[in-house]
Amino acid sequence: MDSLQQMPNIGAVLADRLHRAGVTDADELRRLGAGRAFEKIREGLPKDACTHTLLALEGAIRGTRWTAIPKPERDTLVHRVLG
């Protein structure tokens, strides 16, 4: 299993999307941050999956399930990245 799939919230499908976008490991994801990594994979996502995917990436970087991120922080991230 690659280092991306060892992170919380990242399964095979999201890891594959990240790999195809050039994000090949956990260190690269952390370096980019959730917003920049999300922008790299956004084009291929269904519209209704955008918020959850962005939050999943942020949670992965933090080492926690995305639902554990405080709601005000989730709202700020979503507003900043998705508008």
Side-chain angles (χ1 to χ4, degrees):
M1 184 182 302
D2 71 30
S3 64
L4 288 170
Q5 288 186 60
Q6 293 175 5
M7 300 175 86
N9 311 309
I10 298 184
V13 173
L14 183 50
D16 182 58
R17 283 191 173 117
L18 289 164
H19 280 284
R20 285 187 279 130
V23 182
T24 58
D25 59 35
D27 288 337
E28 178 69 7
L29 176 58
R30 288 185 195 100
R31 186 186 71 72
L32 285 172
R36 288 181 55 210
F38 176 78
E39 290 301 326
K40 288 179 161 281
I41 64 170
R42 184 178 197 170
E43 185 177 321
L45 290 173
K47 187 170 178 79
D48 61 345
C50 288
T51 300
H52 289 114
T53 302
L54 173 61
L55 294 174
L57 292 169
E58 180 66 21
I61 290 167
R62 293 181 185 208
T64 189
R65 297 290 299 163
W66 71 265
T67 54
I69 300 169
K71 184 161 176 19
E73 292 178 37
R74 292 191 317 240
D75 292 345
T76 298
L77 178 63
V78 168
H79 180 71
R80 181 174 52 86
V81 176
L82 300 178

